[in-house]
Amino acid sequence: MALPQENLIPPSPSHNHLTLSLRSHIGGFFIYNEDVDSVDLSKLNEAQKQAVTAPPKPLAIIAGPGSGKTRVLTYRALFAVKEWHLPPERILAITFTNKAADELKERLGRLIPEGDRIFAATMHSFAARMLRYFAPYAGISQNFVIYDDDDSKGLIEDILKQMNMDTKRFRPNDVLNHISAAKARMFDCNTFPEFIRQRYGSWGYYFDTVHQVFMTYERLKEQSQALDFDDLIMVLAQRMEDRPELREMIAGLFDLVMVDEFQDTNFAQYQMLLYMTNPHYSGMNNVTIVGDPDQSIYGFRAAEYYNIKRFIDDYNPEVVFLDLNYRSNRTIVDSASALINDSPSALFERKLESIKGAGNKLILRRPFDDADAAITAAFEVQRLHKMGIPYEEIAVLMRTRALTARVEREFATRNIQYHIIGGVPFFARREIKDILAYLRLSRNAMDRVSLKRILTMKKRGFGTASLEKLFNFAEENKLTLLEAMKAAVESLLFKKLSMNDYLESLYTLIQTIQEIAEPSQAIYLVMEQENLLDHFRSISKSEEEYIERTENVKQLISIAEESADMDDFLQRSALGTRENNGGVEGVAISTVHGVKGLEFQAVILYYVTDGFFPHSLSVTTAEKEEERRLLYVAMTRAKEHLIFYVPYKQPWGNGFEQMARPSPFLRSIPKELWDGKPNEIESLYAPYSPQQKWSE
């Protein structure tokens, strides 16, 4: 989509100005007016005013949680329009999400009629738009198509098959992740070996094969005039680096560039902005970044919070700290500050302050095990609700989605409204529904939905036509679906022998399940006979997603073991998948990543134990410090009530539990900020015993 022509027209000069900046390469200019009386700044604190009214030159705003950064961005844009006389369309605001972009335009639109004309976009949508508009200068086709992750994965899978490679060893998702990681660091297919040696220190057959796939992948994309998501950023950055006229034209479109959530940018995104906004590379010099290195939690997406330090080194900006918190009470702010100030990787020494009073102390709960934790969490929510807190102002936050199962079930049992942020309910997740389909069919031989799911979850040759053929065959012969499967095999209903063979195998499996009383044993049987672990690996886009799916399966088995029988288990499962009538009404259940930017009156932090905070997969110091920042983000979502659940045992799957140790991060919080039993508070600070054993 091309930019509107008016976006290329420079603003008109004003006769009342003190500073004139002439852009000779586009003939444009803007006004810097020191008289700020026309913008009402009475609602801003001193640091916010400093950030809003800073001169039109590089500015770094280090904004702590709840410090009003969106208001500051909005008012800085307003100030640019009112005092510098910039047309809103010459202001570029790059945000982390489309929702944030829309919110910024809406806020500015409420302040000035033309405010919604600000150019607000995500990093990828901005890059795509620039490449499309300046395609001839970038040396690419203006009609390029964009491959999403599924398109890229499918293409890589085809390449691997053409190379006769084992897709279990060379998983398409893993190959794609290596390619994506390289592009995030500005390495293309030609320099990929250098990237791998820098990252892993070695090179072998595996990476040599990935390199061949990478080369073929790029060649086929080029033939198709296609760019993937990572290309949008890297190609634009490369073209601006190599072609001065391109970066001058892009820089000439804007008189102010603002970038939100700067701590979540990767290296390629930083380079793209550098070539566009740094006076060393272009005529642009008015750029504002907003970020908080302490809230950088997307390292697994190649985000580098160190980009804030790079910006300070490369731009020598004015730096403004927003450390006055308007969201949380003083106890919550002090505890979060203590946590983050213990980080050895902190870029700045800071002290967050709250405008509120001390408020409630941190509440410590130490339930016995997973079942006890879910029950007490439900009672906790009911207690908070009776205090007058709406369900919508309560959140239960956890490190992984696998922990939501029992919480969802307890909430459903007690008619507590809830909704899942950033995901679907536990019993509605793909891997769970896949397994439950076999069990449901064993109890209802007329269950068309379950049979359809089973026959189509893998490539078995069953499509719309063959399914209708089987269903019609059952109806015409007045057979149950289970009986129809057996009869279809005997009559060779399908020409493909493999389809008949699978129906025979499935018929036998369902019959066997019907004889099993314990649902957990049925799940084990289905998993083994249908080889579902390999299936879940094949549908996972990353190793992290695959691990999450397997953790969900383990959780399902644990729940099944607690059920009286198969019918009880299936009934409870069905209850857990019910829709909440209010849509997004009710208690929020979410991972911490899912609530970035949100806030609640009360927050329950579920399983603040070693193994979840930090996660057991976090091994390096950098990974563990990101886990500390993740807990910091979780704590600072709360306004008034912050409750920590630290069970003595935590789930380990398959009916086993692990002795749970409190998160080592909790030691950073001063003891006087806690409200709980003295011995339980002391247990948070007890030294760990390396001889501590697992228990069943």
Side-chain angles (χ1 to χ4, degrees), residues 456-509:
T456 59
M457 73 171 64
K458 294 184 181 181
K459 294 181 180 179
R460 296 182 171 118
F462 291 93
T464 303
S466 55
L467 285 172
E468 285 302 313
K469 186 176 183 178
L470 180 60
F471 294 154
N472 291 337
F473 178 76
E475 185 174 352
E476 291 168 0
N477 292 279
K478 295 181 171 49
L479 301 173
T480 66
L481 293 179
L482 199 59
E483 294 168 342
M485 285 193 292
K486 181 180 180 181
V489 172
E490 294 172 347
S491 63
L492 298 177
L493 182 64
F494 299 104
K495 293 181 180 180
K496 287 186 178 180
L497 293 180
S498 60
M499 295 171 67
N500 292 311
D501 289 341
Y502 180 71
L503 286 178
E504 183 176 17
S505 171
L506 178 61
Y507 175 80
T508 302
L509 173 61

Side-chain angles (χ1 to χ4, degrees), residues 343-407:
S343 173
S345 61
L347 291 184
F348 308 103
E349 291 186 10
R350 301 162 60 190
K351 179 66 171 73
L352 293 179
E353 299 286 348
S354 173
I355 67 165
K356 298 182 177 181
N360 301 288
K361 286 190 173 185
L362 310 179
I363 296 178
L364 175 63
R365 305 290 190 211
R366 299 224 58 187
F368 179 68
D369 57 12
D370 194 35
D372 188 29
I375 293 170
T376 54
F379 285 130
E380 192 86 61
V381 167
Q382 290 176 326
R383 179 184 70 83
L384 293 167
H385 188 59
K386 288 178 181 178
M387 291 171 54
I389 301 176
Y391 282 136
E392 292 74 24
E393 283 291 327
I394 303 172
V396 180
L397 307 182
M398 52 199 69
R399 180 61 181 84
T400 67
R401 291 178 184 170
L403 290 172
T404 68
R406 279 196 173 88
V407 176

Side-chain angles (χ1 to χ4, degrees), residues 143-176:
N143 298 319
F144 67 84
V145 296
I146 300 175
Y147 281 176
D148 62 20
D149 291 336
D150 287 337
D151 296 327
S152 297
K153 177 188 171 185
L155 181 56
I156 288 173
E157 188 172 5
D158 291 342
I159 294 170
L160 287 167
K161 289 179 179 178
Q162 291 171 5
M163 294 172 61
N164 294 318
M165 290 295 164
D166 183 2
T167 54
K168 291 183 179 180
R169 180 177 183 184
F170 297 94
R171 296 181 58 232
N173 281 328
D174 292 342
V175 174
L176 181 59

